[in-house]
Amino acid sequence: NKDPKNFDSRNILAKIFENNGDFRNAIRLREEIKVFDPVNYVNLYELANDFDKSSNIGARDKLLQRVLKIAPQTSEGQKAKIELSK
């Protein structure tokens, strides 16, 4: 699909990068998704995990706080709450 906003393609590619330990490229793709869909809490949560695996705890915590704010009742919101309390 040539749509530059194609979430599914970017998300699949980000997962491939994550599975291969290439968090730099996964972060790049998830940041692009965030531009087009800034309240996609699933993407934000996955982006937080990528930052965590890249040892960028400040960026991770900022994203987890955002997930908790916009989607507190979701499973991602609950996981964010737990991770922030560690």
Side-chain angles (χ1 to χ4, degrees):
N1 190 333
K2 293 186 178 190
D3 180 1
K5 298 178 186 177
N6 188 319
F7 167 78
D8 292 331
S9 296
R10 289 173 193 271
N11 188 50
I12 290 168
L13 190 53
K15 287 179 186 278
I16 292 169
F17 284 133
E18 290 160 350
N19 288 335
N20 288 316
D22 185 352
F23 299 106
R24 182 178 58 84
N25 279 311
I27 288 169
R28 179 182 56 80
L29 284 167
R30 294 206 177 279
E31 289 282 8
E32 289 174 5
I33 293 169
K34 188 174 82 167
V35 169
F36 299 120
D37 190 0
V39 294
N40 182 329
Y41 60 87
V42 174
N43 181 65
L44 295 174
Y45 183 79
E46 293 300 329
L47 180 56
N49 285 333
D50 292 341
F51 277 121
D52 182 54
K53 291 177 179 146
S54 299
S55 299
N56 188 336
I57 304 307
R60 179 203 75 160
D61 286 353
K62 184 177 177 183
L63 285 163
L64 290 176
Q65 289 167 357
R66 188 165 174 198
V67 170
L68 187 56
K69 181 178 180 180
I70 64 175
Q73 302 303 320
T74 66
S75 63
E76 288 80 6
Q78 293 302 306
K79 290 185 277 189
K81 183 177 182 178
I82 291 167
E83 290 176 34
L84 285 167
S85 69
K86 292 180 183 177

